[in-house]
Amino acid sequence: MNSADFNNNDFLIERLSKGDEKAYEYLMNTYHHKLCVYANSLIRNIYAAEDIVQNVFVKVWEQRTRLKQSHSIQSFLYKLVYNEFIDQYRKNQSLFTLEKTFFEALNTAAQENNAEDMERIVTVLNKEIKNLPPKCKEVFILSKQEGLTNVEIAEHLNVSIKTVEAQITKAFTLLRLTLQEKVKTILFHLFGKGLSIFKRKKKQQETYI
C-alpha cells in the first residue's frame, strides 16, 4: 500500500473507518492548508481558521467509523469546516439573512468545485474586494467581513440606510462584472439573493451612489 492508493475516495474512507493512521496522515497532509484557506475566507482570522480546521480533523477521527464510502471526503471536510464556523460565529453574534446566504453559497461553491479552484476563487475574490471604490469597499467589508447590520453600518458611518444598501448593491454588481467567467458563475449563487433583495429599490438608491 502506498500514498497513491489514498487518492481513491472509497479506499481512503475505508482505511479511515478502520483507524488507519497513515490514511489519517494523508488526509491531513492533503487538506489541511486548503481547509485553512477556506476557513479563513469565512472568519477572516488565520489563527481562528486554524483552530476550526484542527477541530474538524479531531471530529473526523472521532467519527471515522461512521464515514460512508459513497460520500465525497472532500465535500464532507468542507461541510464540517462550514458547520464549525457557523457554531463559533453564533457564539458572538446572530447571522442575518443576507450574510447567511453569502456563507451558505460559499460553502456550496467549496463543495461543488475542487480545492484548487476554491483557493483560486477566494484569492481572486479578495483581490477584487480590495479594488472596490473606497466607500463601496468600506461598506462591503463592514457588512460581509465584520458582520455589521445595515443599521449599524449607517450609524457607524453617519449615512442613511439607503446609502448603505446602495453601496452593497454596487459592490455586488462590480464584483460580478469584473471577475472571470467561472468565478462569476459562482458569485451569481453567492450574491444572487442579495441582488434580488435590493433590485426593487435600485432606481431610488442610484442617487446615493
Side-chain angles (χ1 to χ4, degrees):
M1 184 189 307
N2 56 62
S3 60
D5 296 327
F6 296 133
N7 286 327
N8 182 289
N9 180 81
D10 290 350
F11 180 76
L12 175 60
I13 292 176
E14 178 188 358
R15 298 310 304 169
L16 285 171
S17 65
K18 293 181 178 179
D20 189 331
E21 293 185 2
K22 289 185 178 180
Y24 186 65
E25 182 180 352
Y26 171 86
L27 193 73
M28 293 189 67
N29 290 338
T30 303
Y31 289 104
H32 185 275
H33 174 69
K34 297 169 184 176
L35 293 177
C36 283
V37 171
Y38 172 54
N40 190 50
S41 74
L42 296 172
I43 205 164
R44 302 292 173 178
N45 182 311
I46 188 59
Y47 300 108
E50 289 175 351
D51 286 342
I52 285 175
V53 173
Q54 184 61 43
N55 290 341
V56 163
F57 279 116
V58 170
K59 288 182 177 180
V60 169
W61 184 252
E62 291 175 344
Q63 300 174 18
R64 64 188 184 279
T65 59
R66 287 179 280 172
L67 294 174
K68 297 181 179 180
Q69 293 183 14
S70 58
H71 295 164
S72 165
I73 189 67
Q74 175 176 293
S75 295
F76 178 65
L77 289 171
Y78 277 104
K79 184 176 181 179
L80 283 180
V81 169
Y82 174 75
N83 290 341
E84 186 73 17
F85 159 72
I86 292 297
D87 288 343
Q88 292 194 18
Y89 194 94
R90 282 174 176 159
K91 293 177 182 177
N92 300 316
Q93 55 187 305
S94 60
L95 219 61
F96 57 93
T97 303
L98 185 56
E99 191 169 15
K100 188 172 188 295
T101 299
F102 177 87
F103 291 135
E104 287 178 344
L106 186 59
N107 180 54
T108 299
Q111 295 188 53
E112 291 180 352
N113 293 270
N114 63 47
E116 288 75 17
D117 282 345
M118 188 61 210
E119 189 168 345
R120 180 178 62 83
I121 290 167
V122 170
T123 298
V124 173
L125 177 58
N126 288 336
K127 180 180 178 181
E128 294 303 329
I129 289 173
K130 291 178 181 179
N131 289 336
L132 289 170
K135 290 182 179 179
C136 187
K137 178 173 67 175
E138 182 179 24
V139 171
F140 186 84
I141 288 175
L142 288 173
S143 175
K144 296 292 153 274
Q145 298 179 8
E146 301 298 329
L148 274 66
T149 66
N150 289 357
V151 173
E152 291 171 335
I153 296 171
E155 292 177 351
H156 178 68
L157 299 179
N158 194 28
V159 297
S160 70
I161 295 176
K162 285 187 176 181
T163 298
V164 173
E165 293 176 346
Q167 293 295 347
I168 292 175
T169 302
K170 183 177 182 179
F172 286 147
T173 303
L174 290 174
L175 287 171
R176 293 181 69 212
L177 289 174
T178 56
L179 293 174
Q180 299 170 5
E181 287 299 321
K182 185 172 183 180
V183 181
K184 281 199 293 184
T185 300
I186 294 172
L187 285 177
F188 176 79
H189 296 292
L190 285 173
F191 301 141
K193 289 187 179 180
L195 283 170
S196 65
I197 290 172
F198 301 116
K199 189 174 181 180
R200 293 189 298 271
K201 299 181 180 180
K202 184 175 180 182
K203 289 185 179 180
Q204 296 94 320
Q205 291 172 341
E206 286 175 349
T207 59
Y208 296 94
I209 300 178

